[in-house]
Amino acid sequence: MKVINKHSSDYSYEEGLNMYIDNDGNFLSEDMLPEDMQKELRMERMADYESEAERNMAEAENKYYNKIRNAYLAGDKEGILEYANYCLDNECEYKACDDKKVRKEFIEVIEKAAKLGHIRSIENLTLAYYHGDEDYFRPNLNKFLYWAKRGEKSNDPEFLSSLGDIYLVVYNNRDEDKYAQKAIDIYIRAAELGSVEAM
């Protein structure tokens, strides 16, 4: 039996299967095809499943994004915190975004969440105002110190170890003993939480 393949890769698995006919013009089921053609169809079926899964995931993420963003815009506390987590989880995406309004909103979300005591946002602002970021923040010592004081309550040993390092730099630059003491206190806390660097 001769098999004529009128199939194109632009078609889905189901559409592709309907394009296999024999020399009498009869449609062939998958199991009637030669093994190489069956293999090709199986690969296309898998690609279709993967594409559909990706579409469904993108739709679900878009729905979730709109839900938490609308809650944030409505001033809902939980919405602000959840949206801040989303922004921090997708920070690279926001940094790559050309839309200045979107980037401005990202900063506003983080700052509002930080004012509500959201520790991840506080950690983010502490490091951002110390190191600076060309797209978002200019280094600002006063703002760093403001957020760093709140960041001392963090339970993240890596963040605390970094904060101790920064306090030492501030101590060296300002020659104020209180920052050396802060660094020591922070290192002790970070070490107790398991930071090898702080130890």
Side-chain angles (χ1 to χ4, degrees):
M1 172 182 69
K2 182 182 174 189
V3 178
I4 302 167
N5 177 10
K6 291 190 174 181
H7 179 62
S8 161
S9 60
D10 294 334
Y11 294 96
S12 69
Y13 162 77
E14 294 297 335
E15 292 169 329
L17 184 56
N18 290 333
M19 294 188 178
Y20 286 97
I21 58 174
D22 63 17
N23 52 339
D24 294 324
N26 300 313
F27 288 104
L28 303 171
S29 62
E30 184 176 335
D31 60 338
M32 295 168 69
L33 295 171
E35 182 56 38
D36 62 328
M37 289 184 174
Q38 287 187 38
K39 186 178 176 184
E40 187 181 330
L41 279 171
R42 283 194 296 271
M43 287 170 64
E44 283 165 12
R45 181 169 50 211
M46 184 56 70
D48 288 349
Y49 288 151
E50 287 170 1
S51 293
E52 189 178 356
E54 283 174 17
R55 274 195 306 274
N56 291 340
M57 198 186 298
E59 279 175 28
E61 185 165 338
N62 198 39
K63 241 185 205 176
Y64 172 70
Y65 170 79
N66 287 327
K67 177 186 164 190
I68 60 174
R69 184 172 183 268
N70 289 336
Y72 157 74
L73 293 172
D76 176 73
K77 182 181 174 181
E78 289 306 312
I80 293 169
L81 301 180
E82 211 167 332
Y83 192 27
N85 277 327
Y86 181 88
C87 290
L88 290 167
D89 289 341
N90 296 280
E91 191 172 2
C92 293
E93 184 182 313
Y94 284 99
K95 285 187 176 184
C97 178
D98 290 331
D99 190 331
K100 287 183 180 177
K101 274 182 161 179
V102 171
R103 295 195 333 219
K104 185 181 175 194
E105 184 174 289
F106 169 81
I107 297 168
E108 287 169 356
V109 172
I110 301 301
E111 288 181 335
K112 282 184 181 178
K115 285 173 186 170
L116 290 170
H118 186 247
I119 201 70
R120 283 187 72 198
S121 296
I122 291 169
E123 291 169 357
N124 181 274
L125 291 174
T126 301
L127 297 178
Y129 280 120
Y130 180 75
H131 295 294
D133 186 305
E134 61 184 86
D135 293 322
Y136 294 99
F137 303 95
R138 289 183 182 165
N140 185 314
L141 185 62
N142 289 332
K143 286 186 177 182
F144 158 73
L145 292 171
Y146 174 84
W147 290 115
K149 187 174 181 183
R150 284 145 187 81
E152 291 171 14
K153 295 174 185 171
S154 169
N155 287 316
D156 181 335
E158 286 181 25
F159 168 75
L160 290 172
S161 183
S162 296
L163 184 56
D165 293 343
I166 295 169
Y167 274 140
L168 277 184
V169 174
V170 173
Y171 161 69
N172 287 328
N173 291 340
R174 300 185 119 198
D175 197 24
E176 292 181 44
D177 290 343
K178 66 179 179 180
Y179 294 115
Q181 189 57 53
K182 272 183 179 285
I184 292 165
D185 294 342
I186 293 291
Y187 281 141
I188 290 169
R189 187 139 179 276
E192 286 169 350
L193 289 166
S195 169
V196 176
E197 291 83 1
M199 289 176 199

